[in-house]
Amino acid sequence: MFAKVIIEYSVKKLDKTFIYEVDEKDKDIIKVGMKVAVPFGNKEIFGFVLELIDNVEVSYNLKKIKKIVDPELVLNSELLQIADYLQNLTLCTKITALQTLLPSSLKAKKQEHDYTFYETIVKLNPLINILESKLAKQKYPQQLKIIELLEDKKEILKKDISSSSLNTLIKNNIVIVEKRIKYRLNNNSTLNTSFKLTSLQEKVFEEVKRNLNNFKTYLLYGITGSGKTIVYIELIKEVLKRGKTALMLVPEILLTTQIIKRFYDVFGSDVAILHSALSAGEKHDEYLKIFRGEVKVVIGTRSAIFAPLTNIGLIIIDEEHSLNYKQDNNPKYHAKDIALFRAKYHNVPLILGSATPSLESMARASKGRYDLLTLDERVNGAILPTITVVDMLPEIKSRNNILSALLKNKIANCLKKKEQIILLLNRRGYATFINCSNCGFTYKCPNCDITLTYHASSNNLICHYCGYIKKKEKLCPNCQEEALNYYGLGTEKLEEYIKEIFPKIKIVRMDQDTTTKKGSYEKFIQDFQNEKYDMLIGTQMVSKGLDFPKVTLVGIINADTSLNIPDFRSSENTFQLFTQTSGRSGRSNLPGEVVIQTFNPHNYVLNYVKNNDYKSFFLTEMQIRRKLKYPPYYYLIGLKVIGKDYSKTLNEAQKVKDYISQKIAKDTICLGPTTALILKYNNLYRFQIIIKYKYDSKIKDVLKEVNELFAFNKDIFIDIDVNPSRL
Ligand code: ADP
Ligand code: ZN
């Protein structure tokens, strides 16, 4: 017997299987989809079995598979098909596609250690007569205590009673020790929470319920606070009742804190969670729980779409518009595509939920490719907040640089009423750049083409792209004058400023800098919920999904940072970000308010946000996209040619462009090469080619050729992004 094995060696040229002989002893065990260790050159390397065959015609002697790494772990046929699909979708190598399916502890590679976590328990030896063992009683009261405890509790964790008396009992075989697998995350508390659905929710519920045995894509457009999550929960209950499983994606870890709690309350130990903030060991455990069929519901972020659930009855993508569902590094897949694949595979519905659906999804819904479901009222009679747009130009003149007079007043008011406030500022750090007023010097990243951001808490200058860090000097490094000034506003400075005007205010700041520690998100969210803080300041992390009944004021500090990003999606992203953030205000019986500060008070995006007018925004933005030939009218592929030397790379980029231009369909557009938005990144120059197409059956093949023809030039990398989330 022979096996075709794809190995962990990820070079595009080696993206093919190698044939190995299967050892006699493994013949009955080995299966397609298993992870194996094989000899390769003079090394041991890992891979997956993709095919088993009885005969091969080769003249040389084939090497044997060294061992099956884990006979339990077999990628089933659905997962193998997902890998094929992923490879085709993103043009990655087969091994990359397969590795993407697995948590790092289970990938095909040399694993440093066993991630399985064991606990040791002790119990009475059933073969020993207790009466006899009680003989110990007279002489050794300590030992007796342990015996009595074990009679009462049956088993105890060894670490809880470790003592010399226990060791004696073990030695004398009176108690026995057992090692067993322990999952790191455990949840057994079910509260059996149940809601009576409102009539709007009921309608949505019934429609999906009727179609639980059909593949269908629903776009659930439900305004913020309309009770989408409750509908998801009730539908999942229904799916479980039918003996099936459910998979739900959420865009961010932060969001999962509150949602996981809700799911734990309802589904208890039937839930597994998968997200990037889990430790490698926790991910390992959760993955295996799913793999072993011990859970029925999986909630997680993007990569949870690969969860090895079987018998799936429903897939949900909450906040479907979120760009987090697109992976930025290879393979550059979108979770929605994988979700569609899996929903089709299982012949079940996929629900895409959002208060601000992506243009792509709404366009498909308007064409009837998705079924539109709507929840256009908040639950419990709560109403959407009133939104005021403040022009900052006159404010600056009256020296209200950071907070407008209106927002300042409203904050004071809110504090007086003991209600809570969320401020959004989409820039972390203290100052966005430092400039010398004497010589004009600014700190720039030596590796990238951007200015460094100043972080006051650590007195560091940091590159937000490559992570380069440098201590800030007191004197200008160029002219040695003490003339370095701070410009631009970051969350750190905003916090400092607000504390100056409201000395008693209690603020929690959430951004990448304050949430690196494990568990910090959860704690901040919980403390804010328990009203230990008056104000939450954060970057876009605070925009989505959070549900705090006491929040009645939301401030968007600098609307223009988001609007001015040079990307065809920046209007859409801004509309979503502001609508979602506004949606945090007034979610209960307290009416909510929102203040948006901007230098572009007449911008159409802000106008639509202000009027809660998704529909008009959609129509306006669609016209712009049509005119500029962007998605959803055209498909987009972003291709970057990356290299160390500026002119060599540009030269190569021109060749790539010329090659593509000759091969594509007549109405496909190929633009560039132009410099990428960040030209120099990590010491490499990046040129961009953009392809826009409507129907082009050859395009994927052309890109595969480009990958083969140009990617082996050792100084040049080609990076292809199909349906990029940003250019
Ligand atoms: P969304 O996900 O659409 O923003 P949520 O599902 O978070 O909305 O619901 C908003 C709030 O309304 C939550 O606090 C939730 O507990 C509550 N809620 C939702 N549906 C109901 C219902 N049928 N009965 C009572 N409360 C509800
Ligand atoms: Zn950098």
Side-chain angles (χ1 to χ4, degrees), residues 235-480:
L235 280 168
I236 293 174
K237 278 187 189 165
E238 183 61 35
V239 167
L240 299 197
K241 242 192 255 166
R242 300 178 182 203
K244 292 193 174 185
T245 63
L247 174 56
M248 169 153 142
L249 297 191
V250 291
E252 285 184 49
I253 331 158
L254 179 70
L255 260 180
T256 55
T257 342
Q258 280 191 328
I259 291 189
I260 285 170
K261 191 177 169 323
R262 280 195 193 173
F263 272 66
Y264 272 157
D265 287 350
V266 180
F267 301 108
S269 56
D270 279 340
V271 182
I273 57 179
L274 285 174
H275 59 71
S276 51
L278 298 182
S279 69
E282 286 167 342
K283 271 186 219 161
H284 175 84
D285 286 359
E286 296 299 288
Y287 190 86
L288 288 177
K289 269 186 212 171
I290 305 166
F291 191 79
R292 294 176 178 139
E294 293 167 3
V295 293
K296 301 194 185 76
V297 182
V298 174
I299 313 177
T301 46
R302 182 180 57 231
S303 64
I305 196 60
F306 301 113
L309 271 177
T310 52
N311 201 14
I312 293 177
L314 177 66
I315 304 177
I316 298 166
I317 299 186
D318 192 24
E319 313 284 357
E320 67 89 32
H321 62 277
S322 170
L323 295 183
N324 293 358
Y325 289 124
K326 177 74 197 279
Q327 177 150 295
D328 278 336
N329 31 29
N330 284 322
K332 297 186 166 124
Y333 69 92
H334 198 297
K336 208 186 288 178
D337 291 319
I338 312 294
L340 276 164
F341 180 92
R342 298 196 80 177
K344 255 183 239 164
Y345 184 94
H346 291 274
N347 199 27
V348 298
L350 165 66
I351 302 180
L352 307 172
S354 178
T356 50
S358 64
L359 255 61
E360 275 99 334
S361 293
M362 189 48 96
R364 284 186 187 138
S366 359
K367 278 175 112 183
R369 283 186 49 202
Y370 296 169
D371 287 41
L372 185 65
L373 301 169
T374 313
L375 289 172
D376 52 7
E377 281 170 23
R378 281 190 160 183
V379 217
N380 299 329
I383 48 167
L384 284 172
T386 7
I387 302 177
T388 317
V389 175
V390 175
D391 182 359
M392 287 304 279
L393 201 58
E395 298 287 333
I396 296 269
K397 287 185 186 138
S398 11
R399 302 197 144 265
N400 293 325
N401 291 7
I402 298 181
L403 291 186
S404 58
L406 182 79
L407 185 52
K408 232 181 273 181
N409 273 335
K410 289 199 189 290
I411 291 174
N413 221 335
C414 222
L415 291 174
K416 219 183 289 161
K417 289 188 289 183
K418 300 233 172 307
E419 292 170 3
Q420 289 176 302
I421 305 144
I422 295 180
L423 295 187
L424 169 78
L425 176 61
N426 217 353
R427 268 277 163 82
R428 70 196 167 96
Y430 188 85
T432 42
F433 65 100
I434 289 187
N435 189 266
C436 173
S437 57
N438 186 46
C439 73
F441 168 86
T442 37
Y443 281 104
K444 283 198 162 170
C445 176
N447 312 320
C448 307
D449 196 19
I450 59 162
T451 54
L452 297 174
T453 303
Y454 179 57
H455 291 244
S457 56
S458 54
N459 197 36
N460 280 329
L461 292 145
I462 303 178
C463 171
H464 283 188
Y465 284 87
C466 74
Y468 170 86
I469 294 189
K470 175 184 173 54
K471 273 265 168 284
K472 186 196 150 267
E473 291 117 322
K474 195 152 184 285
L475 306 179
C476 170
N478 189 42
C479 69
Q480 312 303 326

Side-chain angles (χ1 to χ4, degrees), residues 36-300:
V36 290
V38 294
F40 190 77
N42 48 12
K43 281 198 303 193
E44 181 184 77
I45 204 166
F46 296 85
F48 298 95
V49 177
L50 289 192
E51 207 184 321
L52 289 168
I53 41 179
D54 289 328
N55 297 302
V56 280
E57 280 175 38
V58 285
S59 47
Y60 51 93
N61 270 344
L62 287 169
K63 291 182 181 169
K64 277 189 179 169
I65 286 180
K66 273 197 176 163
K67 65 167 188 282
I68 292 171
V69 179
D70 180 354
E72 185 195 353
L73 192 78
V74 186
L75 298 173
N76 66 24
S77 106
E78 186 197 2
L79 294 171
L80 291 172
Q81 285 181 45
I82 291 176
D84 285 345
Y85 175 68
L86 188 61
Q87 182 185 15
N88 215 357
L89 187 76
T90 66
L91 304 171
C92 67
T93 58
K94 176 51 105 343
I95 189 69
T96 305
L98 287 161
Q99 297 281 47
T100 305
L101 306 181
L102 293 165
S104 97
S105 66
L106 294 170
K107 287 190 201 308
K109 63 177 184 191
K110 192 165 173 48
Q111 292 292 351
E112 295 306 324
H113 64 281
D114 179 7
Y115 282 88
T116 312
F117 180 65
Y118 297 96
E119 64 184 3
T120 316
I121 51 157
V122 293
K123 46 186 181 186
L124 290 173
N125 187 345
L127 302 175
I128 296 268
N129 188 323
I130 290 297
L131 267 182
E132 240 172 70
S133 63
K134 276 194 178 163
L135 294 178
K137 180 171 171 176
Q138 281 79 15
K139 285 188 246 162
Y140 306 108
Q142 285 302 332
Q143 291 185 19
L144 179 73
K145 239 196 196 148
I146 295 175
I147 290 172
E148 281 175 349
L149 204 63
L150 283 171
E151 278 179 328
D152 182 36
K153 294 206 165 155
K154 303 290 182 257
E155 60 178 52
I156 302 177
L157 287 178
K158 180 158 181 276
K159 66 175 169 54
D160 291 345
I161 43 166
S162 242
S163 69
S164 59
S165 318
L166 177 68
N167 288 336
T168 315
L169 288 170
I170 294 171
K171 215 166 64 203
N172 295 337
N173 221 358
I174 293 167
V175 303
I176 49 174
V177 180
E178 265 178 31
K179 213 172 138 189
R180 69 174 172 209
I181 295 177
K182 164 105 165 86
Y183 294 131
R184 292 165 181 84
L185 301 174
N186 281 294
N187 178 77
N188 298 310
S189 67
T190 0
L191 292 180
N192 255 328
T193 5
S194 209
F195 289 94
K196 191 170 163 4
L197 295 181
T198 63
S199 60
L200 276 180
Q201 286 173 321
E202 188 72 36
K203 242 172 76 188
V204 171
F205 173 80
E206 286 299 332
E207 162 63 27
V208 182
K209 185 178 156 185
R210 253 199 317 281
N211 284 292
L212 279 176
N213 291 321
N214 297 318
F215 165 65
K216 223 176 215 286
T217 308
Y218 288 106
L219 175 60
L220 172 55
Y221 165 47
I223 62 169
T224 55
S226 60
K228 295 184 287 297
T229 314
I230 305 298
V231 175
Y232 303 148
I233 288 177
E234 290 303 317
L235 280 168
I236 293 174
K237 278 187 189 165
E238 183 61 35
V239 167
L240 299 197
K241 242 192 255 166
R242 300 178 182 203
K244 292 193 174 185
T245 63
L247 174 56
M248 169 153 142
L249 297 191
V250 291
E252 285 184 49
I253 331 158
L254 179 70
L255 260 180
T256 55
T257 342
Q258 280 191 328
I259 291 189
I260 285 170
K261 191 177 169 323
R262 280 195 193 173
F263 272 66
Y264 272 157
D265 287 350
V266 180
F267 301 108
S269 56
D270 279 340
V271 182
I273 57 179
L274 285 174
H275 59 71
S276 51
L278 298 182
S279 69
E282 286 167 342
K283 271 186 219 161
H284 175 84
D285 286 359
E286 296 299 288
Y287 190 86
L288 288 177
K289 269 186 212 171
I290 305 166
F291 191 79
R292 294 176 178 139
E294 293 167 3
V295 293
K296 301 194 185 76
V297 182
V298 174
I299 313 177

